[in-house]
């Protein structure tokens, strides 16, 4: 049984080295005679894992002392609510940029909490687009500005992060640590782990410490960021196995040269795939405006839906999994996150050429 070429959008591929290590110590972690899953979250063995996960994340993200790492649950989807519940004061307003499905969901939840200004809406544009983030009418007195750094379904990615008058908040679920970025522009970033960081069940939140005090005391304890901040994400039982895998992924990423190291690999993978699309004489058509093409989720169409279905089916027969576009938009999507090896992209590019020869 060989490893599949896994292009799943999330949960997504994990580094083979990480899986091998987890397998090797699954029943006996560090000579303790127990799985890490069976250890107390207050014990020595798990504590070392937890501390290393926090330290490695801080290092990879280039955090200063002004920021804190939190490991939460509820996915990025709970953050759509938790961000406004903590950061949007009664009577205040927040700026949001609507770039697609995920931004739209964040907006929907924020509107339940307070006033939302939509700075731009490119969510319905085809080819899929993003606004010029340098030229948006940011409010002077907004509680924060919310952006989605990578629209996983559309296949668009913010090419840079703007300077904003109020703290920038980003949903980075599908491109966190795929490239370096300057954390000091941000008040808060969040990401479900299951695309670039580890398994589902862990949500990474990085928050600027001064924002911890914004939440009203009436907010339920578990929804206040400061509850977990005070306890280093150990207020209650954290998702220990997920954090352990995330820690192994963070080690793997450090060995690759961190965000800058993996960015070079990611850019090369994406460039190959876009070159295959653009060089197909129109048989394959990229669906994102080129300036906003994602290096994580590459989306394209074929001349007909029948050919798209055949493409997906024949790809599966060649061990290439997860290429069907999101059900809301159709087409083809290859998710090529950090852990998707370059060989998988090479195999896909070869398959695309072969498929076109037979069906073009
Ligand atoms: C996958 C994804 C989400 C949803 O994450 P959950 O952890 O399933 O809640 C939110 N935003 C973006 C950009 C995503 O890619």
């Amino acid at each position: 049984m060989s490893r599949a070429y896994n292009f799943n959008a999330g949960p997504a591929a994990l580094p083979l080295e990480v899986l091998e290590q987890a397998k090797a110590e699954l029943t006996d972690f560090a000579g303790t005679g127990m799985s890490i899953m069976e250890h107390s979250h207050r014990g020595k063995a798990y504590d070392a894992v937890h501390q290393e996960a926090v330290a490695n994340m801080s290092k990879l993200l280039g955090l200063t002392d002004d920021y804190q790492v939190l490991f939460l649950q509820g996915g990025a989807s709970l953050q759509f609510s938790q961000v406004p519940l903590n950061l949007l004061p009664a009577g205040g307003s927040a700026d949001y940029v609507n770039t697609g499905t995920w931004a739209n969901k964040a907006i929907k939840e924020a509107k339940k909490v307070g006033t939302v200004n939509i700075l731009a809406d490119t969510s319905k544009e085809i080819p899929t687009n993003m606004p010029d983030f340098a030229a948006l009418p940011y409010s002077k007195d907004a509680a924060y500005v919310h952006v989605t750094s990578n629209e996983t379904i559309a296949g668009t990615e913010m090419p840079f992060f703007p300077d904003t008058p109020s703290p920038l908040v980003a949903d980075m679920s599908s491109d966190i640590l795929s490239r370096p970025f300057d954390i000091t522009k941000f008040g808060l970033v969040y990401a479900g782990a299951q695309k670039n960081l580890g398994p589902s069940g862990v949500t990474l939140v990085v928050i600027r410490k001064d924002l911890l005090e914004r939440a009203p005391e009436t907010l339920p304890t578990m929804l206040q960021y400061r509850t977990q901040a005070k306890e280093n994400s150990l207020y209650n039982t954290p998702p220990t196995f997920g954090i352990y895998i995330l820690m192994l992924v963070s080690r793997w990423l450090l060995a690759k040269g961190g965000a800058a190291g993996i960015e070079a690999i990611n850019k090369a993978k994406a460039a190959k795939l876009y070159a295959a699309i653009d060089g197909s004489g129109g048989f394959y058509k990229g669906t994102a405006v080129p300036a906003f093409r994602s290096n994580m989720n590459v989306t394209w169409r074929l001349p007909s839906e029948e050919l798209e279905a055949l493409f997906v089916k024949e790809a599966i027969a060649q061990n290439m999994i997860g290429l069907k576009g999101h059900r809301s938009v159709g087409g083809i999507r290859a998710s090529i996150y950090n852990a998707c090896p370059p060989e998988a992209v090479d195999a896909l590019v070869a398959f695309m050429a072969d498929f076109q020869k037979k069906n073009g």
Side-chain angles (χ1 to χ4, degrees), residues 74-78 80 102 148 150-152 171 173-174 192 194-195:
S77 298
L78 182 58
F80 296 161
W102 292 115
T148 308
N150 186 77
E151 283 285 355
T152 321
D171 175 1
S173 292
S174 49
Q194 66 271 22
K195 279 113 187 192

Side-chain angles (χ1 to χ4, degrees), residues 51-124:
Q51 301 302 338
E52 184 177 345
V54 172
N56 287 358
M57 277 297 135
S58 303
K59 197 171 190 180
L60 286 163
L61 292 160
L63 302 190
T64 64
D65 284 346
D66 297 335
Y67 291 85
Q68 180 153 3
V69 169
L70 302 176
F71 296 128
L72 307 182
Q73 302 188 60
S77 298
L78 182 58
Q79 292 310 304
F80 296 161
S81 303
Q82 204 171 355
V83 164
L85 285 169
N86 278 265
L87 303 185
L88 183 50
S93 68
D95 286 351
Y96 275 73
V97 187
N98 192 352
T99 46
T101 309
W102 292 115
N104 202 36
K105 288 196 170 185
I107 288 165
K108 197 174 146 216
E109 295 307 313
K111 281 182 171 167
K112 296 186 183 200
V113 178
T115 305
V116 170
N117 307 313
I118 307 295
L119 300 183
D121 185 349
T122 58
S123 64
K124 304 237 161 33

